[in-house]
Amino acid sequence: AVEYNFFPYRESATKEFTVAYYVGSLHNQYLEETIYNRNSETRMLQSVNINYDVRQPWGRIEAEVEGSQYFFDLEKYRLDFETALSLRVFKGFFVSFSADAAVVRDQLYLPKGDASLEEILLERRAISTDYELGFSVGVSYTFGSIYNSVVNTRL
């Protein structure tokens, strides 16, 4: 993996704008035989991640775009778009909003056969899809040391 932050590292506690490129292998062991007649497989893939993150006393804004692609079939790819906003109401208490969307063209893991309505509703079995959308709203309260959120943001 290779990563580049457009802001100096000394500013990484408050803002980041990073681009990362990954190349590697992925091994999957499936519980059921897939629509591609596989019980396990190892595939090479590449991924690009672009992330913008701003952390201020009033809250946080984050936007991310990620794309991945298998080398064996360039039409097997995925694009993810995520954004989040967290607003500080008072010390330690935040209200958060997030949205995400994905273009899905890499579902190698889909099991053979039809899924029952119960399996679909309980999300116990994956089904074929081309897109995913999501939205969430939440609250959080953080307490403890002022150094709790100090992390190494590098790869």
Side-chain angles (χ1 to χ4, degrees):
V2 176
E3 180 184 70
Y4 182 77
N5 187 354
F6 290 90
F7 296 118
Y9 182 69
R10 67 181 172 276
E11 296 178 22
S12 65
T14 58
K15 62 183 175 180
E16 291 181 272
F17 180 36
T18 58
V19 175
Y21 176 73
Y22 310 87
V23 175
S25 65
L26 178 66
H27 178 76
N28 291 315
Q29 188 75 34
Y30 303 115
L31 297 174
E32 298 178 48
E33 188 174 26
T34 69
I35 58 175
Y36 298 104
N37 300 318
R38 304 234 182 222
N39 290 313
S40 68
E41 63 185 342
T42 301
R43 300 283 188 179
M44 292 295 294
L45 62 102
Q46 63 182 340
S47 177
V48 173
N49 180 289
I50 301 169
N51 187 54
Y52 181 73
D53 193 0
V54 175
R55 292 172 293 279
Q56 296 293 319
W58 52 263
R60 178 179 186 174
I61 295 175
E62 184 174 10
E64 181 176 23
V65 177
E66 183 172 9
S68 61
Q69 181 180 52
Y70 287 100
F71 284 120
F72 78 98
D73 183 351
L74 300 181
E75 293 187 17
K76 301 290 188 222
Y77 66 91
R78 181 181 184 100
L79 290 172
D80 289 294
F81 308 91
E82 298 178 24
T83 185
L85 171 66
S86 183
L87 298 172
R88 180 178 164 207
V89 179
F90 56 85
K91 185 173 182 162
F93 186 80
F94 293 86
V95 176
S96 302
F97 307 90
S98 67
D100 57 86
V103 176
V104 181
R105 303 283 191 274
D106 66 348
Q107 292 182 294
L108 302 177
Y109 53 83
L110 292 175
K112 271 187 178 178
D114 295 327
S116 70
L117 180 60
E118 181 179 271
E119 288 175 316
I120 294 169
L121 293 175
L122 295 174
E123 296 183 5
R124 298 193 44 96
R125 186 174 180 138
I127 57 174
S128 179
T129 187
D130 288 329
Y131 305 96
E132 293 177 358
L133 296 170
F135 181 77
S136 66
V137 177
V139 296
S140 64
Y141 182 74
T142 304
F143 56 91
S145 169
I146 62 171
Y147 302 108
N148 279 356
S149 62
V150 176
V151 295
N152 184 351
T153 61
R154 296 175 289 180
L155 288 177

mmCIF file of all heavy atoms in Angstrom, residues 22-60:
data_model
loop_
_atom_site.group_PDB
_atom_site.id
_atom_site.type_symbol
_atom_site.label_atom_id
_atom_site.label_comp_id
_atom_site.label_asym_id
_atom_site.label_seq_id
_atom_site.Cartn_x
_atom_site.Cartn_y
_atom_site.Cartn_z
ATOM 1 N N TYR A 22 -3.808 0.400 -2.880
ATOM 2 C CA TYR A 22 -3.477 -0.899 -2.308
ATOM 3 C C TYR A 22 -3.474 -1.963 -3.411
ATOM 4 O O TYR A 22 -4.325 -1.940 -4.301
ATOM 5 C CB TYR A 22 -4.527 -1.342 -1.282
ATOM 6 C CG TYR A 22 -4.870 -0.330 -0.236
ATOM 7 C CD1 TYR A 22 -5.859 0.626 -0.443
ATOM 8 C CD2 TYR A 22 -4.227 -0.339 0.997
ATOM 9 C CE1 TYR A 22 -6.182 1.560 0.525
ATOM 10 C CE2 TYR A 22 -4.547 0.586 1.970
ATOM 11 C CZ TYR A 22 -5.525 1.526 1.730
ATOM 12 O OH TYR A 22 -5.845 2.434 2.695
ATOM 13 N N VAL A 23 -2.559 -2.904 -3.321
ATOM 14 C CA VAL A 23 -2.546 -4.085 -4.178
ATOM 15 C C VAL A 23 -2.337 -5.266 -3.251
ATOM 16 O O VAL A 23 -1.493 -5.217 -2.353
ATOM 17 C CB VAL A 23 -1.404 -4.041 -5.221
ATOM 18 C CG1 VAL A 23 -1.337 -5.342 -6.005
ATOM 19 C CG2 VAL A 23 -1.573 -2.874 -6.161
ATOM 20 N N GLY A 24 -3.106 -6.312 -3.455
ATOM 21 C CA GLY A 24 -2.934 -7.473 -2.600
ATOM 22 C C GLY A 24 -3.804 -8.625 -3.028
ATOM 23 O O GLY A 24 -4.472 -8.576 -4.062
ATOM 24 N N SER A 25 -3.790 -9.655 -2.214
ATOM 25 C CA SER A 25 -4.617 -10.819 -2.492
ATOM 26 C C SER A 25 -5.689 -10.941 -1.415
ATOM 27 O O SER A 25 -5.517 -10.473 -0.290
ATOM 28 C CB SER A 25 -3.772 -12.083 -2.551
ATOM 29 O OG SER A 25 -3.206 -12.349 -1.293
ATOM 30 N N LEU A 26 -6.769 -11.577 -1.797
ATOM 31 C CA LEU A 26 -7.890 -11.791 -0.884
ATOM 32 C C LEU A 26 -8.271 -13.262 -0.970
ATOM 33 O O LEU A 26 -8.524 -13.777 -2.065
ATOM 34 C CB LEU A 26 -9.073 -10.907 -1.294
ATOM 35 C CG LEU A 26 -10.350 -11.040 -0.489
ATOM 36 C CD1 LEU A 26 -10.112 -10.560 0.945
ATOM 37 C CD2 LEU A 26 -11.453 -10.239 -1.134
ATOM 38 N N HIS A 27 -8.273 -13.934 0.172
ATOM 39 C CA HIS A 27 -8.676 -15.349 0.193
ATOM 40 C C HIS A 27 -10.044 -15.447 0.857
ATOM 41 O O HIS A 27 -10.246 -14.926 1.948
ATOM 42 C CB HIS A 27 -7.665 -16.203 0.962
ATOM 43 C CG HIS A 27 -8.101 -17.637 1.037
ATOM 44 N ND1 HIS A 27 -7.988 -18.493 -0.040
ATOM 45 C CD2 HIS A 27 -8.666 -18.344 2.037
ATOM 46 C CE1 HIS A 27 -8.474 -19.669 0.305
ATOM 47 N NE2 HIS A 27 -8.887 -19.603 1.566
ATOM 48 N N ASN A 28 -10.964 -16.120 0.173
ATOM 49 C CA ASN A 28 -12.314 -16.323 0.702
ATOM 50 C C ASN A 28 -12.595 -17.808 0.838
ATOM 51 O O ASN A 28 -12.340 -18.578 -0.083
ATOM 52 C CB ASN A 28 -13.365 -15.701 -0.225
ATOM 53 C CG ASN A 28 -13.310 -14.198 -0.217
ATOM 54 O OD1 ASN A 28 -13.206 -13.578 0.830
ATOM 55 N ND2 ASN A 28 -13.369 -13.604 -1.393
ATOM 56 N N GLN A 29 -13.128 -18.186 1.986
ATOM 57 C CA GLN A 29 -13.598 -19.545 2.242
ATOM 58 C C GLN A 29 -15.105 -19.418 2.433
ATOM 59 O O GLN A 29 -15.568 -18.801 3.390
ATOM 60 C CB GLN A 29 -12.926 -20.093 3.509
ATOM 61 C CG GLN A 29 -13.180 -21.536 3.780
ATOM 62 C CD GLN A 29 -12.386 -22.439 2.862
ATOM 63 O OE1 GLN A 29 -11.262 -22.121 2.484
ATOM 64 N NE2 GLN A 29 -12.968 -23.561 2.479
ATOM 65 N N TYR A 30 -15.892 -19.954 1.512
ATOM 66 C CA TYR A 30 -17.337 -19.769 1.517
ATOM 67 C C TYR A 30 -18.045 -20.872 2.300
ATOM 68 O O TYR A 30 -17.626 -22.027 2.293
ATOM 69 C CB TYR A 30 -17.869 -19.734 0.085
ATOM 70 C CG TYR A 30 -17.211 -18.666 -0.756
ATOM 71 C CD1 TYR A 30 -16.431 -18.998 -1.843
ATOM 72 C CD2 TYR A 30 -17.362 -17.319 -0.448
ATOM 73 C CE1 TYR A 30 -15.817 -18.016 -2.619
ATOM 74 C CE2 TYR A 30 -16.751 -16.337 -1.208
ATOM 75 C CZ TYR A 30 -15.985 -16.696 -2.294
ATOM 76 O OH TYR A 30 -15.383 -15.731 -3.047
ATOM 77 N N LEU A 31 -19.149 -20.520 2.950
ATOM 78 C CA LEU A 31 -19.950 -21.492 3.685
ATOM 79 C C LEU A 31 -20.767 -22.363 2.736
ATOM 80 O O LEU A 31 -21.068 -23.516 3.037
ATOM 81 C CB LEU A 31 -20.891 -20.777 4.663
ATOM 82 C CG LEU A 31 -20.209 -19.969 5.759
ATOM 83 C CD1 LEU A 31 -21.228 -19.199 6.574
ATOM 84 C CD2 LEU A 31 -19.380 -20.874 6.651
ATOM 85 N N GLU A 32 -21.159 -21.787 1.596
ATOM 86 C CA GLU A 32 -21.925 -22.511 0.585
ATOM 87 C C GLU A 32 -21.252 -22.318 -0.767
ATOM 88 O O GLU A 32 -20.581 -21.318 -0.990
ATOM 89 C CB GLU A 32 -23.354 -21.962 0.490
ATOM 90 C CG GLU A 32 -24.177 -22.084 1.742
ATOM 91 C CD GLU A 32 -25.556 -21.477 1.564
ATOM 92 O OE1 GLU A 32 -26.216 -21.767 0.552
ATOM 93 O OE2 GLU A 32 -25.967 -20.703 2.440
ATOM 94 N N GLU A 33 -21.489 -23.257 -1.675
ATOM 95 C CA GLU A 33 -20.938 -23.128 -3.015
ATOM 96 C C GLU A 33 -21.530 -21.894 -3.692
ATOM 97 O O GLU A 33 -22.728 -21.633 -3.588
ATOM 98 C CB GLU A 33 -21.250 -24.378 -3.837
ATOM 99 C CG GLU A 33 -20.540 -24.404 -5.167
ATOM 100 C CD GLU A 33 -20.745 -25.721 -5.898
ATOM 101 O OE1 GLU A 33 -21.769 -26.393 -5.665
ATOM 102 O OE2 GLU A 33 -19.880 -26.057 -6.705
ATOM 103 N N THR A 34 -20.684 -21.134 -4.373
ATOM 104 C CA THR A 34 -21.130 -19.881 -4.981
ATOM 105 C C THR A 34 -21.740 -20.113 -6.358
ATOM 106 O O THR A 34 -21.660 -21.210 -6.922
ATOM 107 C CB THR A 34 -19.956 -18.893 -5.136
ATOM 108 O OG1 THR A 34 -19.066 -19.395 -6.139
ATOM 109 C CG2 THR A 34 -19.227 -18.686 -3.820
ATOM 110 N N ILE A 35 -22.319 -19.050 -6.910
ATOM 111 C CA ILE A 35 -22.879 -19.118 -8.261
ATOM 112 C C ILE A 35 -21.782 -19.365 -9.295
ATOM 113 O O ILE A 35 -22.080 -19.728 -10.429
ATOM 114 C CB ILE A 35 -23.672 -17.836 -8.609
ATOM 115 C CG1 ILE A 35 -22.795 -16.599 -8.489
ATOM 116 C CG2 ILE A 35 -24.915 -17.725 -7.744
ATOM 117 C CD1 ILE A 35 -23.455 -15.298 -8.917
ATOM 118 N N TYR A 36 -20.524 -19.192 -8.902
ATOM 119 C CA TYR A 36 -19.378 -19.473 -9.775
ATOM 120 C C TYR A 36 -18.773 -20.848 -9.487
ATOM 121 O O TYR A 36 -17.636 -21.121 -9.874
ATOM 122 C CB TYR A 36 -18.321 -18.375 -9.625
ATOM 123 C CG TYR A 36 -18.837 -17.026 -10.042
ATOM 124 C CD1 TYR A 36 -19.191 -16.072 -9.089
ATOM 125 C CD2 TYR A 36 -19.000 -16.708 -11.386
ATOM 126 C CE1 TYR A 36 -19.685 -14.829 -9.479
ATOM 127 C CE2 TYR A 36 -19.501 -15.478 -11.780
ATOM 128 C CZ TYR A 36 -19.838 -14.544 -10.821
ATOM 129 O OH TYR A 36 -20.333 -13.323 -11.205
ATOM 130 N N ASN A 37 -19.507 -21.692 -8.755
ATOM 131 C CA ASN A 37 -19.093 -23.072 -8.439
ATOM 132 C C ASN A 37 -17.791 -23.125 -7.641
ATOM 133 O O ASN A 37 -16.926 -23.948 -7.893
ATOM 134 C CB ASN A 37 -18.957 -23.909 -9.724
ATOM 135 C CG ASN A 37 -20.262 -23.991 -10.477
ATOM 136 O OD1 ASN A 37 -21.318 -24.171 -9.877
ATOM 137 N ND2 ASN A 37 -20.202 -23.832 -11.783
ATOM 138 N N ARG A 38 -17.654 -22.254 -6.657
ATOM 139 C CA ARG A 38 -16.454 -22.210 -5.821
ATOM 140 C C ARG A 38 -16.826 -22.375 -4.344
ATOM 141 O O ARG A 38 -17.845 -21.864 -3.890
ATOM 142 C CB ARG A 38 -15.737 -20.878 -5.983
ATOM 143 C CG ARG A 38 -15.381 -20.556 -7.408
ATOM 144 C CD ARG A 38 -13.939 -20.275 -7.483
ATOM 145 N NE ARG A 38 -13.585 -19.913 -8.843
ATOM 146 C CZ ARG A 38 -12.499 -20.345 -9.426
ATOM 147 N NH1 ARG A 38 -11.673 -21.105 -8.770
ATOM 148 N NH2 ARG A 38 -12.221 -19.991 -10.647
ATOM 149 N N ASN A 39 -15.947 -23.067 -3.614
ATOM 150 C CA ASN A 39 -16.066 -23.166 -2.162
ATOM 151 C C ASN A 39 -15.020 -22.305 -1.472
ATOM 152 O O ASN A 39 -15.148 -21.974 -0.307
ATOM 153 C CB ASN A 39 -15.936 -24.617 -1.702
ATOM 154 C CG ASN A 39 -17.141 -25.424 -2.123
ATOM 155 O OD1 ASN A 39 -18.266 -24.993 -1.936
ATOM 156 N ND2 ASN A 39 -16.907 -26.583 -2.728
ATOM 157 N N SER A 40 -13.959 -21.976 -2.212
ATOM 158 C CA SER A 40 -12.922 -21.066 -1.722
ATOM 159 C C SER A 40 -12.189 -20.523 -2.939
ATOM 160 O O SER A 40 -12.236 -21.106 -4.025
ATOM 161 C CB SER A 40 -11.957 -21.771 -0.778
ATOM 162 O OG SER A 40 -11.195 -22.720 -1.482
ATOM 163 N N GLU A 41 -11.520 -19.411 -2.744
ATOM 164 C CA GLU A 41 -10.729 -18.835 -3.837
ATOM 165 C C GLU A 41 -9.803 -17.765 -3.278
ATOM 166 O O GLU A 41 -10.056 -17.173 -2.238
ATOM 167 C CB GLU A 41 -11.612 -18.255 -4.932
ATOM 168 C CG GLU A 41 -12.494 -17.103 -4.516
ATOM 169 C CD GLU A 41 -13.425 -16.649 -5.620
ATOM 170 O OE1 GLU A 41 -13.186 -16.965 -6.804
ATOM 171 O OE2 GLU A 41 -14.404 -15.966 -5.295
ATOM 172 N N THR A 42 -8.716 -17.542 -4.012
ATOM 173 C CA THR A 42 -7.780 -16.469 -3.716
ATOM 174 C C THR A 42 -7.674 -15.622 -4.970
ATOM 175 O O THR A 42 -7.421 -16.147 -6.054
ATOM 176 C CB THR A 42 -6.403 -17.022 -3.324
ATOM 177 O OG1 THR A 42 -6.563 -17.864 -2.180
ATOM 178 C CG2 THR A 42 -5.431 -15.896 -3.001
ATOM 179 N N ARG A 43 -7.893 -14.333 -4.824
ATOM 180 C CA ARG A 43 -7.894 -13.421 -5.978
ATOM 181 C C ARG A 43 -7.013 -12.216 -5.668
ATOM 182 O O ARG A 43 -6.958 -11.728 -4.550
ATOM 183 C CB ARG A 43 -9.305 -12.907 -6.267
ATOM 184 C CG ARG A 43 -10.313 -13.973 -6.575
ATOM 185 C CD ARG A 43 -10.144 -14.484 -7.963
ATOM 186 N NE ARG A 43 -11.251 -15.366 -8.300
ATOM 187 C CZ ARG A 43 -11.382 -15.934 -9.448
ATOM 188 N NH1 ARG A 43 -10.508 -15.720 -10.386
ATOM 189 N NH2 ARG A 43 -12.388 -16.731 -9.689
ATOM 190 N N MET A 44 -6.349 -11.721 -6.710
ATOM 191 C CA MET A 44 -5.579 -10.480 -6.613
ATOM 192 C C MET A 44 -6.517 -9.312 -6.894
ATOM 193 O O MET A 44 -7.382 -9.409 -7.765
ATOM 194 C CB MET A 44 -4.437 -10.468 -7.631
ATOM 195 C CG MET A 44 -3.347 -11.486 -7.358
ATOM 196 S SD MET A 44 -2.457 -11.147 -5.837
ATOM 197 C CE MET A 44 -1.645 -9.605 -6.250
ATOM 198 N N LEU A 45 -6.338 -8.230 -6.142
ATOM 199 C CA LEU A 45 -7.164 -7.053 -6.369
ATOM 200 C C LEU A 45 -6.381 -5.783 -6.100
ATOM 201 O O LEU A 45 -5.327 -5.805 -5.483
ATOM 202 C CB LEU A 45 -8.438 -7.095 -5.528
ATOM 203 C CG LEU A 45 -8.288 -7.113 -4.013
ATOM 204 C CD1 LEU A 45 -8.566 -5.737 -3.460
ATOM 205 C CD2 LEU A 45 -9.249 -8.102 -3.423
ATOM 206 N N GLN A 46 -6.941 -4.698 -6.584
ATOM 207 C CA GLN A 46 -6.372 -3.372 -6.327
ATOM 208 C C GLN A 46 -7.484 -2.476 -5.803
ATOM 209 O O GLN A 46 -8.661 -2.704 -6.075
ATOM 210 C CB GLN A 46 -5.752 -2.793 -7.587
ATOM 211 C CG GLN A 46 -6.733 -2.555 -8.713
ATOM 212 C CD GLN A 46 -6.049 -2.037 -9.958
ATOM 213 O OE1 GLN A 46 -4.953 -1.520 -9.909
ATOM 214 N NE2 GLN A 46 -6.717 -2.168 -11.092
ATOM 215 N N SER A 47 -7.073 -1.451 -5.067
ATOM 216 C CA SER A 47 -8.042 -0.554 -4.459
ATOM 217 C C SER A 47 -7.450 0.847 -4.358
ATOM 218 O O SER A 47 -6.261 1.004 -4.096
ATOM 219 C CB SER A 47 -8.402 -1.072 -3.062
ATOM 220 O OG SER A 47 -9.273 -0.200 -2.409
ATOM 221 N N VAL A 48 -8.299 1.844 -4.566
ATOM 222 C CA VAL A 48 -7.921 3.240 -4.393
ATOM 223 C C VAL A 48 -8.898 3.859 -3.401
ATOM 224 O O VAL A 48 -10.110 3.645 -3.494
ATOM 225 C CB VAL A 48 -7.970 4.016 -5.729
ATOM 226 C CG1 VAL A 48 -7.748 5.492 -5.504
ATOM 227 C CG2 VAL A 48 -6.961 3.468 -6.704
ATOM 228 N N ASN A 49 -8.361 4.612 -2.450
ATOM 229 C CA ASN A 49 -9.185 5.253 -1.440
ATOM 230 C C ASN A 49 -8.812 6.728 -1.371
ATOM 231 O O ASN A 49 -7.638 7.069 -1.208
ATOM 232 C CB ASN A 49 -8.951 4.578 -0.083
ATOM 233 C CG ASN A 49 -9.779 5.183 1.005
ATOM 234 O OD1 ASN A 49 -9.530 6.308 1.424
ATOM 235 N ND2 ASN A 49 -10.765 4.457 1.478
ATOM 236 N N ILE A 50 -9.816 7.601 -1.487
ATOM 237 C CA ILE A 50 -9.622 9.047 -1.349
ATOM 238 C C ILE A 50 -10.464 9.481 -0.158
ATOM 239 O O ILE A 50 -11.668 9.222 -0.123
ATOM 240 C CB ILE A 50 -10.056 9.799 -2.617
ATOM 241 C CG1 ILE A 50 -9.243 9.298 -3.818
ATOM 242 C CG2 ILE A 50 -9.892 11.303 -2.435
ATOM 243 C CD1 ILE A 50 -9.775 9.771 -5.152
ATOM 244 N N ASN A 51 -9.830 10.126 0.815
ATOM 245 C CA ASN A 51 -10.515 10.474 2.055
ATOM 246 C C ASN A 51 -10.222 11.920 2.444
ATOM 247 O O ASN A 51 -9.073 12.354 2.423
ATOM 248 C CB ASN A 51 -10.053 9.531 3.175
ATOM 249 C CG ASN A 51 -10.834 9.727 4.443
ATOM 250 O OD1 ASN A 51 -12.058 9.675 4.434
ATOM 251 N ND2 ASN A 51 -10.142 9.941 5.542
ATOM 252 N N TYR A 52 -11.282 12.645 2.789
ATOM 253 C CA TYR A 52 -11.146 14.010 3.305
ATOM 254 C C TYR A 52 -11.808 14.034 4.673
ATOM 255 O O TYR A 52 -12.968 13.621 4.820
ATOM 256 C CB TYR A 52 -11.820 15.013 2.365
ATOM 257 C CG TYR A 52 -11.686 16.434 2.836
ATOM 258 C CD1 TYR A 52 -10.467 17.102 2.750
ATOM 259 C CD2 TYR A 52 -12.762 17.115 3.383
ATOM 260 C CE1 TYR A 52 -10.332 18.400 3.198
ATOM 261 C CE2 TYR A 52 -12.636 18.417 3.823
ATOM 262 C CZ TYR A 52 -11.424 19.057 3.728
ATOM 263 O OH TYR A 52 -11.289 20.352 4.178
ATOM 264 N N ASP A 53 -11.085 14.495 5.679
ATOM 265 C CA ASP A 53 -11.563 14.443 7.056
ATOM 266 C C ASP A 53 -11.144 15.717 7.780
ATOM 267 O O ASP A 53 -9.964 16.066 7.788
ATOM 268 C CB ASP A 53 -10.953 13.219 7.744
ATOM 269 C CG ASP A 53 -11.608 12.868 9.059
ATOM 270 O OD1 ASP A 53 -12.558 13.563 9.472
ATOM 271 O OD2 ASP A 53 -11.169 11.889 9.682
ATOM 272 N N VAL A 54 -12.123 16.425 8.371
ATOM 273 C CA VAL A 54 -11.860 17.639 9.140
ATOM 274 C C VAL A 54 -12.428 17.443 10.534
ATOM 275 O O VAL A 54 -13.613 17.118 10.689
ATOM 276 C CB VAL A 54 -12.498 18.886 8.482
ATOM 277 C CG1 VAL A 54 -12.314 20.102 9.359
ATOM 278 C CG2 VAL A 54 -11.921 19.122 7.103
ATOM 279 N N ARG A 55 -11.591 17.622 11.567
ATOM 280 C CA ARG A 55 -12.012 17.503 12.964
ATOM 281 C C ARG A 55 -11.768 18.841 13.654
ATOM 282 O O ARG A 55 -10.638 19.307 13.698
ATOM 283 C CB ARG A 55 -11.219 16.384 13.644
ATOM 284 C CG ARG A 55 -11.563 15.011 13.120
ATOM 285 C CD ARG A 55 -10.644 13.921 13.660
ATOM 286 N NE ARG A 55 -9.262 14.003 13.217
ATOM 287 C CZ ARG A 55 -8.809 13.571 12.049
ATOM 288 N NH1 ARG A 55 -9.632 13.062 11.173
ATOM 289 N NH2 ARG A 55 -7.531 13.666 11.744
ATOM 290 N N GLN A 56 -12.841 19.413 14.154
ATOM 291 C CA GLN A 56 -12.782 20.713 14.820
ATOM 292 C C GLN A 56 -13.552 20.629 16.139
ATOM 293 O O GLN A 56 -14.294 19.663 16.361
ATOM 294 C CB GLN A 56 -13.405 21.791 13.919
ATOM 295 C CG GLN A 56 -12.667 22.023 12.621
ATOM 296 C CD GLN A 56 -11.296 22.630 12.850
ATOM 297 O OE1 GLN A 56 -11.120 23.509 13.690
ATOM 298 N NE2 GLN A 56 -10.303 22.159 12.099
ATOM 299 N N PRO A 57 -13.442 21.637 17.006
ATOM 300 C CA PRO A 57 -14.202 21.617 18.259
ATOM 301 C C PRO A 57 -15.720 21.520 18.042
ATOM 302 O O PRO A 57 -16.430 20.933 18.851
ATOM 303 C CB PRO A 57 -13.834 22.939 18.930
ATOM 304 C CG PRO A 57 -12.480 23.261 18.397
ATOM 305 C CD PRO A 57 -12.488 22.753 16.977
ATOM 306 N N TRP A 58 -16.228 22.043 16.944
ATOM 307 C CA TRP A 58 -17.667 22.008 16.667
ATOM 308 C C TRP A 58 -18.139 20.660 16.137
ATOM 309 O O TRP A 58 -19.327 20.358 16.104
ATOM 310 C CB TRP A 58 -18.075 23.102 15.686
ATOM 311 C CG TRP A 58 -17.261 23.136 14.424
ATOM 312 C CD1 TRP A 58 -16.186 23.946 14.161
ATOM 313 C CD2 TRP A 58 -17.429 22.321 13.261
ATOM 314 N NE1 TRP A 58 -15.682 23.680 12.918
ATOM 315 C CE2 TRP A 58 -16.432 22.689 12.337
ATOM 316 C CE3 TRP A 58 -18.317 21.316 12.900
ATOM 317 C CZ2 TRP A 58 -16.306 22.090 11.089
ATOM 318 C CZ3 TRP A 58 -18.186 20.718 11.657
ATOM 319 C CH2 TRP A 58 -17.192 21.110 10.767
ATOM 320 N N GLY A 59 -17.195 19.808 15.687
ATOM 321 C CA GLY A 59 -17.587 18.504 15.158
ATOM 322 C C GLY A 59 -16.625 17.998 14.107
ATOM 323 O O GLY A 59 -15.447 18.362 14.077
ATOM 324 N N ARG A 60 -17.176 17.191 13.197
ATOM 325 C CA ARG A 60 -16.331 16.523 12.207
ATOM 326 C C ARG A 60 -17.098 16.358 10.898
ATOM 327 O O ARG A 60 -18.291 16.078 10.892
ATOM 328 C CB ARG A 60 -15.949 15.152 12.752
ATOM 329 C CG ARG A 60 -15.121 14.321 11.855
ATOM 330 C CD ARG A 60 -14.797 13.005 12.531
ATOM 331 N NE ARG A 60 -13.871 12.229 11.719
ATOM 332 C CZ ARG A 60 -13.318 11.106 12.098
ATOM 333 N NH1 ARG A 60 -13.587 10.613 13.284
ATOM 334 N NH2 ARG A 60 -12.501 10.470 11.310
#
